[in-house]
Amino acid sequence: MSEVTLERPPVTFLPSPFLGPEVWEPVAERLRLHGWSTRVAQVRGSTPAQVLDSFEEALPDDRPTVLVPHSGAGLYVPSVASVVPLAGTVFVDAALAPAAGEARLVPPTLLDAVRGLADDDGSLPPWTRWWPRDQVRALVPDDETLDRVEAGAPRMPLAYLEASVPVPAGWAGGRNAYLAFGDTYAAELSQAREAGWPTQVLDGGHLHMLVDPDGVAAALAGLLARI
């Protein structure tokens, strides 16, 4: 009997809408060494609809892809899954949408904390400037990386943080896994475990993919193999 070789689906990385593709590019490069085809989305626009369009534009046209969303990008997975078939999703330190209805793009506590940072036009500074530099610097390996991440981070309007996105029902029934960096998203990790998804925890901060791209790529390869 001849052996059947299954072609791996491509992997599409979705960065947080508050960050650029720079955060995922090192891992995407290393995951290719594990035998996966990868691409990284570039967020364009300042409304939920425009962010969703950016994510959908990054998807391959010819076959289902595996999504790898980070942070707030996780909330867009149900909408993407309602439009195109997915091969699976590995959420990475990401927010999870409810089963159906709507999902607020940021928690009320964060909205209240950054509301005063908006300028007269309602635009917020880059995400990296929402907190003292030393706090954000602790999330990345060096100053050069922080400067590169900040240069690629869009200035989103306060109105974006006040918005919500629709959540089509049934999205959680696909092939899903969860990779957490520490306990920032402890509730989401618990939800993933209760749903029976493959999970893994790497001890690190929210931008651990920039600190240890090799370790994150290896963890993703393992989770991808499981789903």
Side-chain angles (χ1 to χ4, degrees), residues 131-167:
W131 297 275
R133 181 177 174 90
D134 61 335
Q135 293 183 19
V136 184
R137 170 64 180 81
L139 300 176
V140 297
D142 49 49
D143 289 320
E144 180 181 355
T145 300
L146 177 54
D147 291 341
R148 186 170 65 252
V149 170
E150 184 167 297
R155 294 193 62 187
M156 300 296 278
L158 183 63
Y160 177 86
L161 279 69
E162 297 170 334
S164 60
V165 291
V167 181

Side-chain angles (χ1 to χ4, degrees), residues 54-74:
S54 297
F55 288 159
E56 292 179 351
E57 288 171 3
L59 304 179
D61 296 326
D62 55 342
R63 52 190 170 138
T65 185
V66 176
L67 296 183
V68 181
H70 175 241
S71 195

